[in-house]
Amino acid sequence: MTDATDTADVAVTDRGELMLVLQGETYGLRPSYDAIELIETILGRGLVDVASDTIASRLKLGELAQVVTECIKAWGRANGRPETSGFNAKRIARLILDSDGGLLAVQKRIAAMLTLAVTGGYDSEGNPKPAVTTTSEEAPAAG
């Protein structure tokens, strides 16, 4: 089991990446271009469609597991976690069912990640983009 203070996990938090705990292990979720391309190919539909179904809690367990698997594997490649390369959707589906909160909790976490992915919250490598802050030199008009 990975210690919560492990530098890879701390870096995930510092970068604003979403994490998922499965069987006591913390994994980052990285929706990189490669992960998204695989998800779309395997599921046979576009990311916006997948995101919409996830937000509405209509994604099937196998589909959700595929999304989780590809995003964890992408995170593992980017963070030197070679053990994630052997993950597969069947194993992840079982871990999702066994996780605290089960299918619904994981579906909510993935919905948050996919919402960011389809609205430009990540770059093509799966890194969260910094929040944009706008400022005005003029005070707002009084109403």
Side-chain angles (χ1 to χ4, degrees):
M1 182 186 322
T2 304
D3 186 299
T5 59
D6 183 270
T7 55
D9 294 338
V10 171
V12 170
T13 303
D14 289 348
R15 287 192 304 264
E17 289 180 340
L18 294 176
M19 297 183 294
L20 187 62
V21 177
L22 298 172
Q23 198 173 18
E25 291 283 335
T26 302
Y27 301 101
L29 299 167
R30 183 175 280 252
S32 66
Y33 170 82
D34 292 335
I36 291 169
E37 186 176 49
L38 277 168
I39 290 164
E40 290 180 331
T41 299
I42 292 167
L43 298 184
R45 52 197 187 130
L47 188 64
V48 172
D49 186 37
V50 174
S52 294
D53 279 355
T54 308
I55 292 164
S57 297
R58 289 189 307 253
L59 214 59
K60 296 176 184 175
L61 174 61
E63 294 172 321
L64 182 66
Q66 195 64 56
V67 172
V68 171
T69 300
E70 298 310 328
C71 291
I72 288 176
K73 288 167 79 170
W75 172 81
R77 285 189 297 273
N79 288 283
R81 299 282 299 265
E83 71 275 13
T84 63
S85 67
F87 283 16
N88 62 61
K90 187 173 183 175
R91 174 182 176 203
I92 293 296
R94 290 178 184 273
L95 294 176
I96 288 170
L97 290 176
D98 292 340
S99 68
D100 290 341
L103 179 61
L104 188 57
V106 173
Q107 191 131 189
K108 287 180 180 180
R109 176 61 53 118
I110 299 308
M113 178 197 64
L114 292 179
T115 297
L116 288 170
V118 299
T119 59
Y122 293 100
D123 66 18
S124 64
E125 295 299 316
N127 298 306
K129 292 180 182 175
V132 177
T133 305
T134 57
T135 59
S136 172
E137 293 184 20
E138 296 180 25

